[in-house]
Amino acid sequence: MQTLRSSSASPFGRKIKLALYVLGFADKVNVEVAQTLDPNDTLRQQNPLGKIPCLVLEDGNVLYDSRVITEYLDYTAGGEKLFPAGAERFEILTKQALADGICDAAIQIVYESRMRPEEKKHQDWVDYQQAKVDRALTAFENNPLPKVQHNSPDAAQIALACALGYLDLRFAGEWRKSYPTLVAWLDDFASSVPSFDKTKAEPGV
């Protein structure tokens, strides 16, 4: 059986868990928690960067990061489930990258808060990352992704839902005050894709 190394709070790990459910692979992959800060965790042998998620295949080969794993799962499912063919594919890839960028910036803000001593925290760095998040949210607010049809989200929709879910988890949903179209979009996603709630991290993780 394949093994997904991740954590409950990781938005990138959640992307993969959602993709597994959507593609019907959830019962074919074992999810194993990775301790990214523990040098004794085998994660650093599986992925030299020590980052999650990574997918350990049955033959021992390892795939990372979330975009590569998502592509692999789509390929394994026969293709064109998460990524359409033709020119539209590049639009999905670009929107996925934008949503992933929200997560990248948000994680930087969390790390600055959690990992640095108070006297070494840099508000300018936090503001720089927050500006990325704000611009990306505005782009999605002004040009929203389509609603999910028949519990079959594409990779961009999955990525955006996980990014917004991460903002809810780490920043108490502050984004919701300024982006009503995105709030409605996420509500529709959650009702259309039951596995979104199944992959939700508990508060406090």
Side-chain angles (χ1 to χ4, degrees):
M1 179 176 281
Q2 297 178 355
T3 298
L4 174 65
R5 303 300 312 281
S6 187
S7 74
S8 61
S10 169
F12 298 114
R14 191 180 189 185
K15 275 177 57 180
I16 305 308
K17 294 171 191 174
L18 266 176
L20 290 171
Y21 274 108
V22 168
L23 297 174
F25 295 152
D27 60 347
K28 296 179 173 62
V29 177
N30 177 52
V31 179
E32 185 178 292
V33 174
Q35 303 295 337
T36 57
L37 299 180
D38 183 357
N40 296 315
D41 192 299
T42 56
L43 177 67
R44 299 183 186 190
Q45 285 75 55
Q46 293 158 341
N47 177 357
L49 297 173
K51 297 175 67 175
I52 54 175
C54 66
L55 183 66
V56 183
L57 306 183
E58 291 182 4
D59 62 5
N61 286 321
V62 183
L63 300 179
Y64 45 83
D65 56 9
S66 67
R67 296 183 208 182
V68 174
I69 298 171
T70 304
E71 291 260 15
Y72 169 78
L73 294 176
D74 188 62
Y75 166 79
T76 303
E80 298 183 27
K81 305 293 192 301
L82 305 180
F83 302 93
E88 186 184 355
R89 172 183 178 83
F90 297 98
E91 179 180 359
I92 299 301
L93 287 169
T94 300
K95 294 298 177 60
Q96 177 188 226
L98 184 60
D100 284 351
I102 293 173
C103 297
D104 285 331
I107 288 171
Q108 289 295 318
I109 295 172
V110 171
Y111 282 176
E112 187 72 18
S113 172
R114 291 186 170 189
M115 306 298 287
R116 285 187 185 274
E118 190 65 36
E119 68 275 8
K120 293 185 178 180
K121 292 179 181 177
H122 296 283
Q123 188 59 44
D124 287 348
W125 177 252
V126 171
D127 294 344
Y128 176 67
Q129 300 300 330
Q130 185 62 52
K132 294 180 186 179
V133 174
D134 294 342
R135 289 195 301 270
L137 291 176
T138 298
F140 281 121
E141 176 78 6
N142 293 338
N143 187 22
L145 297 183
K147 293 182 178 181
V148 174
Q149 302 295 322
H150 311 299
N151 190 25
S152 298
D154 61 37
Q157 292 168 324
I158 289 174
L160 179 57
C162 291
L164 298 176
Y166 187 73
L167 296 181
D168 279 339
L169 176 69
R170 292 298 189 224
F171 304 98
E174 281 293 315
W175 66 275
R176 291 173 174 269
K177 299 175 182 177
S178 302
Y179 304 98
T181 299
L182 274 179
V183 171
W185 182 89
L186 184 61
D187 288 345
D188 181 79
F189 183 97
S191 65
S192 301
V193 184
S195 50
F196 185 64
D197 282 336
K198 291 180 181 179
T199 57
K200 184 178 181 180
E202 295 296 328
V205 296

